[in-house]
Amino acid sequence: MLHLPTVISISLLLNILIGGFFITVYNYKKQRCYLYLGASCAVFVVAQIFACLRIVLDNTFITHYLADLCIIISPVLAIIGLQKVTHTHSRTSRHFLTLIFVSAIILLPIYAVTAGQMVTSIIIATLFMYAAYLVHKMKCAAPIQQKILSACFISHSIIMYIQGMMLAAPHITNTVLDFHQPLQAILINHIILATATALVLPFLLFVNIEEKLQRLVNHDTLTCLLNRRGFFMQGQALLKQGIAHQQSFAVVMIDIDHFKRVNDKYGHSTGDTAIKWIAQHIMAHLNDHDIAARIGGEEFALLLPDQSLYQAKETAQRLCDAIREHSLHFKGNSIDLSVSVGISSSYDANASIKTLLDQADKRLYIAKAKGRDQVVICDHQAGQMVNNTM
């Protein structure tokens, strides 16, 4: 069996470091989730210190009551921190504060006997199970670490329930049972799991924060589509993948016709709604592997992997038809919208997103010059233009 004093010493050190790290991050970012998580580590350290004082201090109020209360408070603070991360309603925070108050009252008359440990075990087991549920529901960019953290909480919950049953067994069976060794093993596992949880949690949080930052940098806030930067980054990667599989790929440029008139007549809030409405139509006509971006005020770009020029033309034409056949209804107004589209396509391994986008943009302006509300797939060459005039 592992040496208990060594396990406790390592756990104390790691929780102090992790708690200090969370508090430092809170001082920098002022996000309360870090304050609660740092406080959770600090309270767990205090609980361990109080429990260790049993060796030298004959005061059960400190070594049992305060230790048990801190053991309950620590996961409560961690759960509130997780709620701040997942934006769970703050009302539940008040419920947990009530739980701490009720636990303090229940433990007061029984903290010096086995029943106090039993109640503490059941409470924290339930708390860890709820924490596992919160982690499972969390939208996370690191699924493996998410599963590890959830497994830590579930394992912790199970061993605490087992501890509660062991402590209750002598009272239920009316027999003397020696659970000294199993309970010591559970204590060691409790300390190890609590420390492992504290180690995995910061990584999970910062991966999520990094993913959110990347999303903010690469996505348009109005439409939730990619922005120009995101389109070039994801588009180039998708283009290389298509080239590796010898697939054709098409780039589509879309512009809302007479958009300035919409803004001038109905106002910019209506204009923003029109942009979002068009974006919704675009997404409704894409496949899972296609990507779409808003690359300008009323301009959109699409990358359609494994679509030839004429397949992309059919996709774009369906989009044009859908937009023309439906009106935007907003603030009591019914607004008819249309779009002009230019498309380029290539099988060339040397093609780039910028080249294809420039070519599609040129054809977009041909479509606008020819009367708008149409799809153009080639330039003026040999006096020929392939288009659809509505």
Side-chain angles (χ1 to χ4, degrees), residues 345-381:
S345 181
S346 178
Y347 293 86
D348 186 2
N350 296 317
S352 69
I353 289 292
K354 186 179 185 307
T355 301
L356 290 170
L357 198 64
D358 289 343
Q359 191 174 42
D361 192 47
K362 183 190 296 183
R363 292 169 183 176
L364 166 65
Y365 277 92
I366 293 173
K368 295 176 81 68
K370 295 291 290 184
R372 294 181 171 82
D373 191 16
Q374 56 188 281
V375 179
V376 170
I377 63 172
C378 71
D379 306 331
H380 283 291
Q381 291 177 350

Side-chain angles (χ1 to χ4, degrees), residues 330-342:
F330 185 68
K331 291 185 176 180
N333 298 307
S334 180
I335 305 169
D336 295 325
L337 297 171
S338 65
V339 293
S340 298
V341 182

Side-chain angles (χ1 to χ4, degrees), residues 195-217:
T195 306
T197 300
L199 286 169
V200 175
L201 189 55
F203 177 82
L204 194 68
L205 293 179
F206 279 94
V207 167
N208 275 352
I209 290 170
E210 178 66 20
E211 193 271 338
K212 287 178 182 177
L213 289 174
Q214 286 295 325
R215 184 166 184 81
L216 286 173
V217 169

